Amino acid sequence: MSWPDQIDKVYLIVHPLKEKERFERLIENCLRVGIPRERLYVVPVCWGDELSSETIFQVYDPYLQRPCNCFTFKGRTLTRAEISLGLNFYSAVRSAIEHNTKYVITLESDVYLRDDFVSRLSDLWKDLEGRKWDYVSLGEGIGTRPPERQMTSMYAQTKAFTPPHQLVFRCTDSMMFNTEYLKKLAVTFIPFREIIDWEMNFQMLLHRGTALWADPPLCEQGTCFNRMVSSLPS
């Protein structure tokens, strides 16, 4: 099945030099499952140990005043690596806007795509026709699925479902966005207060965004399912 033309870019959030093995594996995985090479875009990423104190204070504020408490304990003491995750995602957001895209996908370095990724993405896109949405979670995070799909086969047709709660970001390894939503996000994302998935939950609530979960998922997070060792180097 062919690639949905409406999806302009697939942003790969990976460091080609400091994550060389992950970079090569992710590129091979994307091409093997049928993502057109011309749609792939490697985000210019920063590494945690490259961040200056000045940059950190500009983009991260653990005491930022908001109408709610911190969502997690991590919010008060993000590491350099966790700060860089937020900045690298923000780079993808800015690029999507600057390139006048309509819809984009972001993939982190540890994501594994299903062999039938493109055909499932096409099924998902058909299910999204005529529906309002800002964000679609393409993976299943840490094994979370829509309640009504808990016992559904992983080989069933992929469709989009309303999440069972408002904290919709299961993880940030594989996400699809409407760029109109990213334009709103770009205004309020910096400075951030939370680690990226919880920061995204706050931003979704702030902008009253519409989120959906793809199920069965199109990919899985390698560090969650023990395909690779989790490491957040600083």
Side-chain angles (χ1 to χ4, degrees):
M1 194 169 290
S2 61
W3 179 261
D5 287 334
Q6 298 91 335
I7 303 174
D8 300 298
K9 289 185 180 294
V10 178
Y11 286 98
L12 308 182
I13 304 176
V14 57
H15 200 300
L17 299 179
K18 298 196 176 188
E19 296 180 288
K20 188 173 184 296
E21 289 186 5
R22 288 191 178 199
F23 171 74
E24 293 175 348
R25 183 205 62 79
L26 183 56
I27 291 288
E28 187 278 332
N29 192 186
C30 289
L31 296 176
R32 177 168 48 81
V33 302
I35 299 178
R37 184 183 294 271
E38 64 273 14
R39 305 281 172 146
L40 298 177
Y41 186 89
V42 180
V43 176
V45 296
C46 62
W47 206 241
D49 61 9
E50 299 170 345
L51 295 176
S52 66
S53 296
E54 181 182 7
T55 298
I56 290 173
F57 287 126
Q58 287 175 346
V59 303
Y60 166 54
D61 183 355
Y63 303 107
L64 189 63
Q65 294 298 305
R66 285 179 170 172
C68 61
N69 294 327
C70 281
F71 287 152
T72 73
F73 69 92
K74 279 182 173 289
R76 294 299 190 197
T77 56
L78 294 189
T79 66
R80 287 174 175 264
E82 289 164 341
I83 294 170
S84 71
L85 283 176
L87 270 178
N88 292 336
F89 171 73
Y90 184 68
S91 293
V93 171
R94 296 303 316 174
S95 178
I97 296 169
E98 292 164 5
H99 285 89
N100 296 315
T101 63
K102 292 185 177 179
Y103 303 97
V104 298
I105 289 173
T106 64
L107 300 176
E108 292 182 342
S109 64
D110 65 336
V111 73
Y112 281 76
L113 309 181
R114 293 180 64 146
D115 289 341
D116 56 356
F117 179 87
V118 172
S119 63
R120 289 192 172 276
L121 184 63
S122 296
D123 289 340
L124 175 63
W125 195 260
K126 290 177 184 176
D127 192 48
L128 292 172
E129 290 180 1
R131 300 172 66 178
K132 181 185 181 299
W133 62 275
D134 297 303
Y135 155 74
V136 179
S137 172
L138 300 180
E140 59 172 339
I142 52 173
T144 51
R145 299 180 67 186
E148 66 269 37
R149 301 280 283 189
Q150 290 292 329
M151 302 304 294
T152 302
S153 169
M154 282 291 192
Y155 296 98
Q157 186 177 31
T158 293
K159 295 185 177 182
F161 295 85
T162 301
H165 48 69
Q166 291 180 302
L167 303 178
V168 296
F169 285 84
R170 300 178 280 187
C171 279
T172 57
D173 56 287
S174 50
M175 306 182 287
M176 184 163 67
F177 292 98
N178 183 329
T179 306
E180 289 303 313
Y181 172 74
L182 294 183
K183 291 176 181 177
K184 301 175 186 177
L185 181 70
V187 177
T188 59
F189 191 80
I190 301 293
F192 48 81
R193 191 177 76 173
E194 307 276 357
I195 195 167
I196 183 170
D197 46 351
W198 286 98
E199 182 65 31
M200 293 295 287
N201 278 321
F202 173 79
Q203 296 291 333
M204 182 63 66
L205 292 169
L206 176 67
H207 296 294
R208 301 180 183 273
T210 300
L212 297 169
W213 287 358
D215 193 88
L218 287 75
C219 40
E220 68 180 26
Q221 187 181 36
T223 49
C224 173
F225 292 94
N226 300 315
R227 289 196 180 202
M228 57 178 64
V229 176
S230 177
S231 60
L232 278 176
S234 60

